[in-house]
Amino acid sequence: RDFNERCAQCSEVNWGLTDGGRFYCRSCHNVTERTREVVNTDFITNSRVQTISKGLRKQEKNDGGCEWYICEGFQLVLKKQAEALEALGVCPQMKDEILCNFWRCYLQKSKQAYCQRPARETVKALSVCESSTDVESDPERPSLLHLLSLSESEGDVQTDCSFASSVSKVSESASVYSGSVDGSLYLMKNQKEKLRMTMPMTLSFCYMALLWLREPITLSEFLRFVVEGHIPYLNVFQHFPEKMKLCGLDLKIFCVESWPVYEEVFKQMHELAVFLDLPRFPDITDSCFLHPDMLCMKYLMEANLPDELHNWTCRVVKKIGIGEVDFLTLMPGNKSTRKVKYDVLAAAVIVVVLKLLFLLDDHYEWLLSELAEERNKNNTEGGPYFEFKKWYEVVKHSLDVEQKKLEEERAKYLWRCEKPLFYSVKNKSKVLKRRQMVVNLQNQFGKLSDSVRRAEKPNPSSFQLSWSEENTDGSCFHGHSLKGILQEKCGFLTAMNPDYWLCTIKLCNEKLCGHLAHYREVEFPQSYHFVLGLFSFLLRIQPSYIHDEVCMIEHKLFSKKLCKKRKYKTVIRK
């Protein structure tokens, strides 16, 4: 109150005190060199000075570290992931507007920040709020709750000072086991009624923001970029500031030792949308990348299939209504709508079209291939006829090579990070010495074996398999014709094949079984399994999830005929 000079940066008169006794501007967080003078020694008994001395002791105790909370660590992870996505070409507003608002809403809903702590809660049932000293007492370390967007004023964060002090007292007893203030309590508390933040959930946050912006990136593609290291996830805690000491139980929270799972990230994204009480997402129209017609075109190119198949995929999408806006758009909390996996749905549409035209029963497709081969020998005009057998051989060879490469890369992946980790303060020196010894040995063996350093990671690409029409070896099938397997009927091109076999007669209850249908490789033709395996590799998911979508599309496509022939046979007339 006695310091009335205007701030040199923003010209405001709104001063606060740091733990070191220096003045800082509450409006712009500018720190001055001026300190508050204490004339009366009796003033030392004031609670304010006690807080300052306590903070200084704690910094010395933690070897230069600062107090930080688990939610701050997750926020730093989200910030790094958002910056990586922005570097890949995602809309800049994703980080500062969309993802930031989602995160603020989560902190408020989970009562970790932007809230008043309920008086009935105790420290044992802790929901950690940001300490008021983070905002008011230490502007030299801006609160990580402001890292996503620094445009926010300090008045938006409302916390309980007495509650924060009680957290500090509890954390002192657990400081040996955790570098964070609330690391031990975070794992102890029961949060069944709330969504506890985890590392996979950071990916759910990012994908939810991507979906809100309707960015041209699917969940499978996003997770592939994560695995390839283009988006921080594995060992991301290496990017934490030096003052944020990470040890003990913090490692169980932030240390990831498994690849991200599609189903887990997808499920948590929908749970998050409901928990945050989000409104209906922006409409997925036919001009959006996530529309089945768009994605089918992409996957047809990557699977090296003829371009003419796109007309058939569009007909299937229109016939069963899975291209409608209401079907594709996410509406959180609406239990009557199905949760759409856009990439899996598009792949399943292509599989259904291949079954419509080639049957994929290990017999009919090879017969058509022989006929196309004979016609190509006498074909002198137009493009070549599509041969399923030749396509199978070319794609299988490339697929085997890429799968082997992927398996080798995963087998060679070093899960240990460069930054040494320790679970307690006692063994810190031992871990550091051991780590230094390992590095020295690696360098010595590297010099003896003349090992070549790994090349830099290639730029991320939307296509894992690329095919060029300029190749003269005939390995690209994009321009091949389907005339050999089609016939004109009533002014429309229809398949010569009159039959179709269903994957299943009756769908299971997805909520009870987890799947719409059960997939066992031995029960289905090898051609069908190969096609599923191809798209399973492209999407990095289990073939059973694509099989589920295929069954769903089939039952929509043949719903009328299924009612009549369900009890008799699985092969129906189209």
Side-chain angles (χ1 to χ4, degrees):
R1 296 177 182 176
D2 300 331
F3 188 54
N4 297 323
E5 293 184 11
R6 291 188 176 275
C7 176
Q9 184 169 338
C10 66
S11 301
E12 293 287 335
V13 181
N14 187 15
W15 299 102
L17 278 177
T18 69
D19 285 346
R22 291 194 292 175
F23 290 100
Y24 76 96
C25 179
R26 287 191 176 124
S27 300
C28 66
H29 298 287
N30 177 37
V31 184
T32 68
E33 297 298 328
R34 291 285 301 273
T35 59
R36 184 172 184 177
E37 297 179 358
V38 180
V39 179
N40 189 357
T41 56
D42 296 337
F43 186 69
I44 295 177
T45 59
N46 187 280
S47 61
R48 186 61 168 176
V49 178
Q50 288 178 354
T51 304
I52 293 175
S53 61
K54 180 181 176 182
L56 292 175
R57 287 200 305 269
K58 185 165 292 186
Q59 282 208 339
E60 293 174 1
K61 179 182 176 181
N62 290 342
D63 193 19
C66 63
E67 285 188 351
W68 63 280
Y69 296 92
I70 296 298
C71 64
E72 292 180 316
F74 279 119
Q75 179 167 291
L76 194 59
V77 173
L78 287 172
K79 179 176 180 287
K80 294 294 182 182
Q81 292 174 346
E83 289 173 348
L85 286 168
E86 189 174 340
L88 293 177
V90 173
C91 180
Q93 72 179 106
M94 174 199 166
K95 184 185 78 168
D96 292 332
E97 296 182 24
I98 308 303
L99 184 58
C100 180
N101 289 331
F102 286 164
W103 179 240
R104 288 173 182 164
C105 185
Y106 173 79
L107 291 176
Q108 187 177 35
K109 292 273 188 181
S110 58
K111 301 188 184 301
Q112 298 183 63
Y114 307 101
C115 64
Q116 291 286 355
R117 174 179 174 263
R120 63 182 179 275
E121 291 188 5
T122 61
V123 176
K124 185 177 180 180
L126 185 61
S127 254
V128 178
C129 294
E130 178 197 15
S131 173
S132 62
T133 57
D134 290 339
V135 178
E136 297 181 2
S137 304
D138 194 4
E140 299 174 24
R141 179 183 70 87
S143 168
L144 293 177
L145 292 174
H146 293 276
L147 286 180
L148 287 177
S149 177
L150 296 174
S151 60
E152 177 188 5
S153 64
E154 60 155 343
D156 293 337
V157 183
Q158 302 175 357
T159 53
D160 191 338
C161 181
S162 61
F163 176 57
S165 62
S166 65
V167 173
S168 300
K169 292 178 182 178
V170 175
S171 64
E172 287 178 356
S173 62
S175 60
V176 178
Y177 308 102
S178 175
S180 61
V181 173
D182 59 331
S184 56
L185 294 171
Y186 189 84
L187 294 176
M188 290 168 56
K189 60 187 177 180
N190 184 14
Q191 281 193 344
K192 290 184 178 180
E193 73 281 0
K194 301 174 184 177
L195 282 177
R196 178 184 294 182
M197 193 65 188
T198 60
M199 283 299 295
M201 199 178 293
T202 61
L203 303 179
S204 300
F205 264 102
C206 290
Y207 177 63
M208 188 166 60
L210 292 171
L211 184 57
W212 184 276
L213 290 171
R214 296 177 292 184
E215 286 288 334
I217 177 172
T218 61
L219 178 56
S220 59
E221 193 173 12
F222 170 63
L223 296 182
R224 178 166 59 86
F225 290 158
V226 170
V227 172
E228 293 175 354
H230 302 294
I231 299 172
Y233 178 72
L234 304 173
N235 299 329
V236 69
F237 51 82
Q238 294 184 110
H239 302 290
F240 281 17
E242 192 63 30
K243 287 187 176 182
M244 291 179 64
K245 301 298 181 182
L246 192 79
C247 63
L249 295 178
D250 302 329
L251 303 179
K252 293 185 178 181
I253 300 172
F254 292 101
C255 189
V256 179
E257 295 184 350
S258 61
W259 307 107
V261 181
Y262 185 103
E263 277 296 311
E264 181 182 2
V265 176
F266 181 81
K267 181 181 178 181
Q268 287 185 341
M269 188 274 291
H270 284 270
E271 292 177 352
L272 267 175
V274 176
F275 178 71
L276 301 181
D277 196 21
L278 296 180
R280 175 186 169 112
F281 277 51
D283 292 345
I284 305 296
T285 60
D286 54 3
S287 61
C288 294
F289 177 80
L290 298 176
H291 193 275
D293 292 345
M294 293 286 189
L295 288 176
C296 283
M297 187 185 302
K298 174 186 182 299
Y299 293 136
L300 285 172
M301 293 176 62
E302 195 165 9
N304 198 17
L305 289 165
D307 299 332
E308 293 181 13
L309 285 175
H310 187 247
N311 295 328
W312 285 83
T313 60
C314 292
R315 289 171 64 178
V316 171
V317 169
K318 185 177 180 180
K319 175 81 173 178
I320 61 180
I322 59 174
E324 300 296 328
V325 174
D326 291 338
F327 178 83
L328 296 173
T329 305
L330 175 60
M331 290 181 285
N334 191 342
K335 297 182 180 180
S336 61
T337 58
R338 195 168 186 269
K339 300 170 184 176
V340 181
K341 303 170 185 173
Y342 303 98
D343 40 10
V344 183
L345 180 66
V349 170
I350 297 176
V351 175
V352 171
V353 168
L354 290 176
K355 287 181 66 178
L356 286 170
L357 300 180
F358 298 96
L359 201 58
L360 302 184
D361 64 345
D362 288 344
H363 174 72
Y364 187 73
E365 64 271 23
W366 307 122
L367 178 62
L368 291 179
S369 184
E370 293 175 0
L371 295 176
E373 185 180 1
E374 291 296 328
R375 292 181 179 180
N376 282 329
K377 292 179 181 179
N378 303 323
N379 183 23
T380 57
E381 298 179 358
Y385 292 95
F386 177 70
E387 298 180 35
F388 187 89
K389 181 180 179 181
K390 188 176 180 180
W391 169 83
Y392 170 82
E393 294 172 350
V394 170
V395 174
K396 189 177 188 305
H397 174 72
S398 298
L399 185 61
D400 291 342
V401 172
E402 293 297 325
Q403 282 181 331
K404 184 178 180 181
K405 187 188 301 183
L406 177 62
E407 291 173 359
E408 290 177 352
E409 289 177 356
R410 291 198 171 188
K412 294 178 181 178
Y413 184 80
L414 298 176
W415 290 99
R416 290 188 177 183
C417 62
E418 298 177 359
K419 186 177 181 180
L421 305 174
F422 51 92
Y423 285 87
S424 67
V425 180
K426 294 180 180 179
N427 65 355
K428 179 179 179 181
S429 58
K430 295 181 181 178
V431 172
L432 293 176
K433 289 180 181 179
R434 191 180 301 142
R435 180 61 182 172
Q436 187 61 40
M437 186 184 300
V438 171
V439 172
N440 293 337
L441 288 174
Q442 287 177 342
N443 293 336
Q444 292 175 10
F445 281 112
K447 292 178 182 179
L448 292 174
S449 60
D450 295 329
S451 59
V452 182
R453 291 186 177 181
R454 291 184 179 180
E456 295 183 359
K457 290 183 296 186
N459 294 328
S461 173
S462 296
F463 292 91
Q464 301 175 72
L465 303 176
S466 58
W467 315 93
S468 176
E469 297 183 8
E470 298 176 356
N471 294 345
T472 57
D473 57 357
S475 60
C476 181
F477 295 86
H478 292 159
H480 287 214
S481 174
L482 297 176
K483 292 181 179 179
I485 60 173
L486 301 177
Q487 61 183 356
E488 188 172 349
K489 187 176 181 181
C490 300
F492 294 97
L493 288 176
T494 60
M496 295 175 60
N497 165 40
D499 296 326
Y500 188 93
W501 61 272
L502 292 172
C503 293
T504 183
I505 301 177
K506 186 178 180 181
L507 297 177
C508 297
N509 188 331
E510 192 172 12
K511 294 182 180 179
L512 297 177
C513 301
H515 292 276
L516 289 174
H518 296 281
Y519 176 72
R520 300 178 183 86
E521 181 182 350
V522 294
E523 297 178 357
F524 294 92
Q526 287 300 309
S527 296
Y528 176 73
H529 175 69
F530 171 76
V531 174
L532 284 190
L534 170 61
F535 289 106
S536 171
F537 172 79
L538 296 179
L539 303 183
R540 305 290 175 87
I541 61 173
Q542 295 296 325
S544 58
Y545 294 117
I546 304 176
H547 179 72
D548 282 354
E549 297 296 321
V550 170
C551 295
M552 183 272 295
I553 293 173
E554 288 177 344
H555 278 251
K556 283 180 175 289
L557 193 61
F558 300 106
S559 58
K560 294 182 179 179
K561 295 183 179 181
L562 269 173
C563 295
K564 299 179 180 178
K565 301 188 177 183
R566 179 175 295 169
K567 297 182 180 180
Y568 303 104
K569 55 184 179 179
T570 59
V571 178
I572 63 176
R573 305 287 291 184
K574 289 189 292 189

